[in-house]
Amino acid sequence: MNMSQDKPVAIITGGGTGIGAACSRILSRDGFRVGINYIDPVEEQSRQVLSELEDGFLLKADLSNPDEIETMIAEIREKARRVDVLVNGAGISINKDINSMTLDDFDLQRAIVRGSWYLTKRILRLFMLRKNSGRIINISSVVGHTGNSGQIPYTMEKAALDAFTKSLCKELAGRNILVNSVAPGFIDTPMTQNLPDEVKSRILGSIPLGRLGSPEEIADLVSFLACRASYISGTVIHVNGGLYGG
């Protein structure tokens, strides 16, 4: 028997970059076999993260495409046969004001939260093979609560993930499947590194701790929810240096 098939399995969407990559690394250290979901533009980075893991595999799929999600589910069944933790970490941000935003832009943003919903729906069946146990962790954002100029569809997507968390928790009551959101503040990732200096200065001035967070600080909480938390569900946990109290 392949002993890796006895290990718990964590599937991480967007697991090859930023916060997702930090989650892949820490859950691998926690003893999980990690499935890294990625799309074409970040294949190289995803393969690099995979090379750093003790045990893992790649899952190429665009979450905006239900057919690719179905292919991904088939791959999970073939490569892992089980899922114990799902981290919905994939996301995009289209930065335009309401007058510049097009319907196509909006629909592209909306497709990610739809894909997270559909992937979760399909993976729940694999949780149920494990006697109705599992952990679902949605990576949302502080801006889903505070709003942010020029990011209306993005803030709507992140607020939707938190609403999804609370509703799914109630639907899964009694099944030992815990559902939570982690809402990062401003984190030191390529998304924030590319901001103009004056925007960065304004952001730092609004954070009581006076610095950006690190992807590892978000991953630490994901690890806790995946491995140790047993009486937390339906909750949005903010990790933002004091920017927003929740």
Side-chain angles (χ1 to χ4, degrees):
M1 178 183 292
N2 185 348
M3 296 302 293
S4 68
Q5 292 178 354
D6 295 329
K7 294 176 68 173
V9 173
I11 304 300
I12 304 174
T13 67
T17 60
I19 291 171
C23 292
S24 295
R25 294 183 184 102
I26 198 167
L27 291 182
S28 179
R29 292 198 297 269
D30 287 336
F32 286 89
R33 189 169 184 228
V34 175
I36 298 174
N37 160 251
Y38 72 99
I39 56 176
D40 276 329
V42 294
E43 180 170 357
E44 183 177 345
Q45 298 98 306
S46 301
R47 291 190 180 279
Q48 174 58 42
V49 173
L50 179 66
S51 72
E52 300 169 22
L53 307 186
E54 181 178 332
D55 191 1
F57 53 98
L58 294 176
L59 296 163
K60 181 181 177 182
D62 182 344
L63 298 187
S64 68
N65 186 326
D67 290 338
E68 293 193 23
I69 291 176
E70 290 295 339
T71 299
M72 178 175 163
I73 290 293
E75 284 189 68
I76 293 170
R77 288 182 178 275
E78 178 185 351
K79 295 178 178 179
R81 299 186 182 179
R82 61 186 285 175
V83 177
D84 301 86
V85 172
L86 170 63
V87 180
N88 283 313
I92 61 171
S93 178
I94 300 171
N95 300 319
K96 295 181 181 179
D97 65 31
I98 192 167
N99 291 314
S100 302
M101 185 77 61
T102 67
L103 281 172
D104 286 343
D105 292 332
F106 188 95
D107 288 342
L108 180 60
Q109 189 78 63
R110 181 180 63 176
I112 300 302
V113 72
R114 184 188 68 171
S116 296
W117 167 82
Y118 188 61
L119 176 63
T120 301
K121 171 185 172 72
R122 298 292 285 113
I123 277 184
L124 277 173
R125 298 180 185 179
L126 295 175
F127 278 164
M128 292 171 186
L129 293 176
R130 305 299 304 169
K131 299 181 179 179
N132 277 351
S133 65
R135 304 288 185 269
I136 298 167
I137 303 164
N138 297 314
I139 307 298
S140 60
S141 173
V142 65
V143 298
H145 299 259
T146 64
N148 205 31
S149 176
Q151 289 189 317
I152 289 176
Y154 180 74
T155 61
M156 291 171 69
E157 173 200 338
K158 294 304 186 180
L161 279 176
D162 289 338
F164 175 47
T165 292
K166 295 174 183 180
S167 296
L168 186 59
C169 166
K170 295 182 182 298
E171 288 194 12
L172 297 178
R175 297 189 183 180
N176 196 32
I177 299 174
L178 307 186
V179 190
N180 290 288
S181 282
V182 175
F186 290 97
I187 306 302
D188 189 11
T189 64
M191 188 180 295
T192 54
Q193 290 164 5
N194 292 330
L195 292 172
D197 289 341
E198 63 272 17
V199 175
K200 290 182 184 178
S201 295
R202 187 168 67 249
I203 290 171
L204 288 172
S206 68
I207 301 172
L209 289 189
R211 65 174 178 86
L212 300 180
S214 71
E216 289 72 25
E217 287 172 311
I218 306 304
D220 282 341
L221 178 55
V222 170
S223 170
F224 172 73
L225 292 172
C227 302
R228 293 173 289 285
S230 58
Y231 198 58
I232 302 174
S233 195
T235 297
V236 180
I237 304 176
H238 291 267
V239 188
N240 55 45
L243 176 64
Y244 176 75

